[in-house]
Amino acid sequence: MLSWARTWRLLPGGLELPRICFSRVPVAPSSSSGRSGAKPRRSVPLSYKLLDGEAGRPALVFLHGLFGSKTNFNSIAKALAQQTGRRVLTVDARNHGDSPHSPDMSYEAMIQDLQDLLPQLGLAPCVLIGHSMGGKTAMLLALQRPELVERLVAVDISPVNTITSSNFPAYVAAMKAIDIPEKMSRSSARRLADKKLSSLIQDTAVREFLLTNLVEADGRFVWRVNLDALAQHVDEILAFPPQQESYPGPTLFLLGGKSDFVHPSHHPEMKRLFPGAQIQIVPDAGHWVHADCPHDFMAAIRGFLA
């Protein structure tokens, strides 16, 4: 049954850093997977960071959204590892961060990547926490492979088509249109890209988020996200594949009170696919709940684990 809950707040303190163990699957410069017929999809070796903790309890696994990376959850991952004593994994999705590029950006491919990675690390079943695109990946993995997911948190996203509430296709087009000359300094490259993006994106925070993807490679600055793959699949990423089976495990939909990504009209499908779900609102947060209100975000996660 869907239920509403107040947002909890953490007490001051509790943000001390735990002992950190860094680990990562070796990453190839590039990789591809076929999309033909019913052939098995080939996974790519995802880049990840694993924080040490007790092996006796399910680990927390964070999946970022479109244009994001595992570094989006750095401070939150460290704090939750310290506060809960659990292992915490942050992962770069394919075509994002330090993970390989592939022409296949379907949810089926992203799920296959996780199906291979989680057992490899001994982290199944886990507490799967996904934001936006990562939330849809998390929901689909829970629906299709429930034995891998002990409980689920979907952050400001629902199992329906979200194209109408997103400017992501325009972001992809704007980023693809930027050409940064060779031998330009980092600061000059960022200023140029920011100026180009500002004509479309007035929100400085959103531009800064996109600019985290601007990296130096072979003497020039390029986007580390695979914009060609994102442009080809952006409508698919913003949609949600039809599902018949439900996920019986505990589920939390953690939503931003200032975001329009999840509407009351989505609730029937949320309840159908996730009958054990509850909804919690973080009133002062927009779509990036974890960035806007990190203390409230962590408090909600801890309350859900209790």
Side-chain angles (χ1 to χ4, degrees), residues 129-152:
I129 305 165
H131 170 248
S132 199
M133 178 189 78
K136 288 190 174 183
T137 305
M139 287 187 283
L140 283 166
L141 183 62
L143 290 167
Q144 296 182 14
R145 294 291 303 276
E147 73 278 7
L148 299 180
V149 183
E150 189 264 342
R151 60 185 57 209
L152 171 70

Side-chain angles (χ1 to χ4, degrees), residues 12-75:
L15 284 177
E16 301 159 67
L17 303 184
R19 180 169 62 88
I20 302 172
C21 294
F22 180 78
S23 182
R24 164 170 125 174
V25 171
V27 179
S30 63
S31 179
S32 62
S33 59
R35 303 181 63 206
S36 57
K39 291 181 180 180
R41 294 180 183 272
R42 187 188 312 165
S43 64
V44 301
L46 300 178
S47 175
Y48 67 88
K49 188 173 184 178
L50 178 60
L51 305 185
D52 197 16
E54 298 175 18
R57 291 188 292 171
L60 310 182
V61 176
F62 285 90
L63 308 179
H64 62 78
L66 190 61
F67 304 113
S69 73
K70 61 182 180 294
T71 60
N72 297 157
F73 294 106
N74 272 352
S75 58

Side-chain angles (χ1 to χ4, degrees), residues 76-297:
I76 284 173
K78 292 172 184 176
L80 285 175
Q82 186 272 329
Q83 293 163 4
T84 67
R86 298 184 187 227
R87 295 165 294 171
V88 180
L89 181 75
T90 54
V91 183
D92 282 335
R94 59 170 56 208
N95 295 314
H96 290 73
D98 296 321
S99 285
H101 285 189
S102 166
D104 191 350
M105 193 57 195
S106 64
Y107 281 113
E108 291 80 4
M110 287 188 277
I111 289 171
Q112 186 61 56
D113 295 340
L114 291 169
Q115 287 179 171
D116 291 350
L117 179 64
L118 294 175
Q120 173 190 334
L121 298 178
L123 299 183
C126 68
V127 178
L128 199 54
I129 305 165
H131 170 248
S132 199
M133 178 189 78
K136 288 190 174 183
T137 305
M139 287 187 283
L140 283 166
L141 183 62
L143 290 167
Q144 296 182 14
R145 294 291 303 276
E147 73 278 7
L148 299 180
V149 183
E150 189 264 342
R151 60 185 57 209
L152 171 70
V153 182
V155 183
D156 207 57
I157 203 68
S158 60
V160 302
N161 187 311
T162 54
I163 290 176
T164 56
S165 59
S166 171
N167 292 319
F168 289 152
Y171 296 170
V172 173
M175 293 167 75
K176 281 177 65 67
I178 296 173
D179 183 26
I180 299 175
E182 293 185 18
K183 299 181 180 179
M184 182 172 277
S185 68
R186 178 179 296 274
S187 58
S188 296
R190 284 183 61 90
R191 282 196 299 270
L192 174 61
D194 185 63
K195 182 179 180 181
K196 296 286 188 181
L197 291 175
S198 65
S199 61
L200 170 70
I201 306 167
Q202 283 71 49
D203 191 325
T204 302
V206 173
R207 295 201 308 273
E208 289 179 350
F209 170 65
L210 296 177
L211 288 170
T212 62
N213 289 290
L214 193 63
V215 296
E216 188 174 6
D218 299 324
R220 66 179 304 168
F221 284 89
V222 297
W223 300 107
R224 66 178 175 177
V225 287
N226 186 349
L227 291 175
D228 289 335
L230 298 188
Q232 182 179 355
H233 291 273
V234 66
D235 289 343
E236 183 180 356
I237 291 168
L238 295 173
F240 193 82
Q243 302 294 307
Q244 299 303 319
E245 301 298 325
S246 63
Y247 170 70
T251 301
L252 173 65
F253 287 96
L254 186 58
L255 312 180
K258 297 180 178 179
S259 172
D260 63 354
F261 269 65
V262 180
H263 298 265
S265 61
H266 301 177
H267 292 181
E269 186 68 354
M270 292 157 67
K271 181 177 181 180
R272 182 181 76 84
L273 292 177
F274 303 96
Q278 59 179 296
I279 292 177
Q280 187 167 331
I281 306 295
V282 181
D284 295 328
H287 180 55
W288 284 273
V289 182
H290 51 288
D292 293 341
C293 299
H295 285 265
D296 291 340
F297 178 84

